[in-house]
Amino acid sequence: MSEQPPQVPDQPSEESADLHEHDEAGGLAVSENYRCGFAAIVGRPNVGKSTLLNALLRRKVSIVSPKPQTTRHRILGILTRPEEQIIFVDTPGIHSGGRRAMNRHMNRAALASLQDADVNLFVVESLSWSDEDQRVLDALVQQKRPIILVLSKVDKVTPRERLLPFIEELNRRAEFVEVVPLSALKKSNIEQLPSIIARHLPLSPPHFPPDQLTDRSREFQAAEIVREKLTLRLRQELPYGLTVSIEQFKEEDGRLLVNAVIWVERTGQKAIVIGQGGEQLKEVGRASRIEMSNLFGRPVHLELWVKVKENWSDNEMALKQLGYEM
């Protein structure tokens, strides 16, 4: 049985609802001062990059969890406003120490995004600095593109004046075109960031239609939703040893039929994902169906299977087969 929560159709944000007039061809009629470009969101793992992207778009396009390295892919999030279109690039956290093929893939995806960006948002957790932060900053400086320093999680800093020496220290490490303290979780100081970014984008017409929020397919989003629910429930067990692929995604009689395979690396992990009496898998399926129904605006029938692909996260060919861009 598929659960059928109330349908929530996609709603445009207040800013995008009355955006642009359309020309006769259905494109956007924009001024010669319109700006459009790419802004990569980069930083070490677990500093709040995906949370920031979702807050900026007012819509969840990138999954989040307290576990580092949740983001594994390069994901575009598109914010269209009257005077600019900002194409955010959510990237995996740049990290050291991991020697598996998956770690190499995530670092490649993140570093490649820096090369394509017009401006880079360097996300640093407030009052926290590590060797991995320095590694990210070194990579950014090499690109010779504008860097906006974004201090995340400022809601945890009291009094706020404690940030000043920290900002001064970071300013000695590199030249930043802007410094923006904010809290994506509390939606604090988020509203000013797009205008700040736009100042560093080229004059250009928009690259995407005004109602497009991401470059990722619905199948990709469905797989990521399942993976997020697994990561949240299996936080200590095996979040890095599982991935999800979609085998069927089709509409039938007003609902979506989704078949997903959860891949693990060892036979013993299969029992952990399924849980006693199948309870773990049922809860993952229930939570995933609810979110998919809300996201896609229709009832969802979801079937999940758990399969073993030995050592998939350290196998370049297996990663490619499972949809990781190598």
Side-chain angles (χ1 to χ4, degrees):
M1 292 288 294
S2 64
E3 300 186 19
Q4 300 183 15
Q7 297 185 23
V8 182
D10 294 348
Q11 295 292 332
S13 69
E14 293 178 3
E15 288 179 339
S16 63
D18 59 348
L19 276 180
H20 303 270
E21 295 181 357
H22 288 71
D23 61 23
E24 294 180 359
L28 294 177
V30 297
S31 74
E32 60 182 12
N33 295 320
Y34 198 86
R35 293 183 180 272
C36 176
F38 291 83
I41 306 174
V42 294
R44 64 171 169 82
N46 214 30
V47 291
K49 299 183 295 297
S50 296
T51 302
L52 174 60
L53 174 64
N54 294 337
L56 286 163
L57 297 181
R58 303 179 186 177
R59 165 85 174 269
K60 184 177 176 181
V61 299
S62 192
I63 65 172
V64 293
S65 86
K67 204 71 178 173
Q69 300 173 23
T70 298
T71 300
R72 294 176 175 173
H73 302 266
R74 176 183 180 272
I75 298 172
L76 299 188
I78 304 155
L79 177 64
T80 303
R81 307 200 324 164
E83 299 301 327
E84 65 262 353
Q85 182 177 84
I86 305 172
I87 306 162
F88 292 102
V89 187
D90 189 20
T91 63
I94 299 174
H95 58 284
S96 57
R99 295 186 175 88
R100 299 174 72 81
M102 172 63 77
N103 300 106
R104 295 194 296 271
H105 153 75
M106 290 191 289
N107 278 334
R108 279 199 303 266
L111 292 171
S113 297
L114 306 186
Q115 299 170 9
D116 299 332
D118 297 292
V119 59
N120 289 306
L121 309 185
F122 178 36
V123 183
V124 177
E125 185 175 343
S126 295
L127 303 185
S128 175
W129 186 260
S130 69
D131 290 342
E132 287 196 327
D133 290 303
Q134 186 63 53
R135 182 185 179 198
V136 176
L137 181 57
D138 291 342
L140 286 169
V141 170
Q142 289 178 12
Q143 298 303 318
K144 294 182 171 57
R145 287 175 173 80
I147 306 171
I148 296 175
L149 174 62
V150 177
L151 298 177
S152 69
K153 307 179 184 181
V154 296
D155 54 300
K156 297 181 179 180
V157 179
T158 54
R160 196 64 58 86
E161 288 74 18
R162 293 174 60 206
L163 283 174
L164 296 177
F166 184 65
I167 293 172
E168 290 175 0
E169 170 60 28
L170 295 189
N171 277 325
R172 285 193 285 269
R173 293 177 182 268
E175 182 177 344
F176 304 106
V177 295
E178 312 273 0
V179 178
V180 184
L182 55 77
S183 169
L185 193 62
K186 301 291 186 179
K187 308 295 189 296
S188 171
N189 222 21
I190 288 286
E191 294 298 326
Q192 67 164 323
L193 186 55
S195 296
I196 292 172
I197 294 168
R199 294 202 289 264
H200 303 282
L201 298 180
L203 294 171
S204 168
H207 295 349
F208 293 93
D211 56 350
Q212 185 170 345
L213 284 175
T214 182
D215 64 327
R216 292 294 181 165
S217 67
R218 294 192 301 171
E219 289 89 339
F220 175 87
Q221 292 174 299
E224 287 287 271
I225 287 170
V226 174
R227 187 167 67 84
E228 179 190 64
K229 305 313 174 194
L230 286 162
T231 302
L232 291 171
R233 290 193 64 86
L234 303 173
R235 196 175 299 175
Q236 303 303 323
E237 288 90 342
L238 66 157
Y240 304 129
L242 57 82
T243 194
V244 179
S245 62
I246 302 297
E247 292 202 336
Q248 175 180 268
F249 189 100
K250 68 177 184 179
E251 296 190 33
E252 187 175 284
D253 299 327
R255 63 177 181 167
L256 285 175
L257 306 181
V258 182
N259 295 350
V261 176
I262 300 164
W263 294 98
V264 296
E265 296 192 294
R266 294 186 296 277
T267 302
Q269 296 173 338
K270 187 173 180 179
I272 296 174
V273 173
I274 294 172
Q276 188 173 1
E279 198 59 33
Q280 188 87 268
L281 197 61
K282 289 177 185 175
E283 284 301 308
V284 168
R286 182 190 67 82
S288 299
R289 281 193 297 270
I290 291 173
E291 184 159 335
M292 287 183 202
S293 295
N294 288 335
L295 177 62
F296 302 130
R298 66 204 64 197
V300 172
H301 176 81
L302 173 65
E303 294 187 7
L304 299 175
W305 287 270
V306 185
K307 297 183 180 181
V308 179
K309 187 182 286 287
E310 292 286 342
N311 208 32
W312 66 264
S313 70
D314 199 24
N315 184 314
E316 300 269 358
M317 184 175 294
L319 286 171
K320 191 171 183 179
Q321 291 171 345
L322 291 169
Y324 291 90
E325 299 161 352
M326 306 306 294

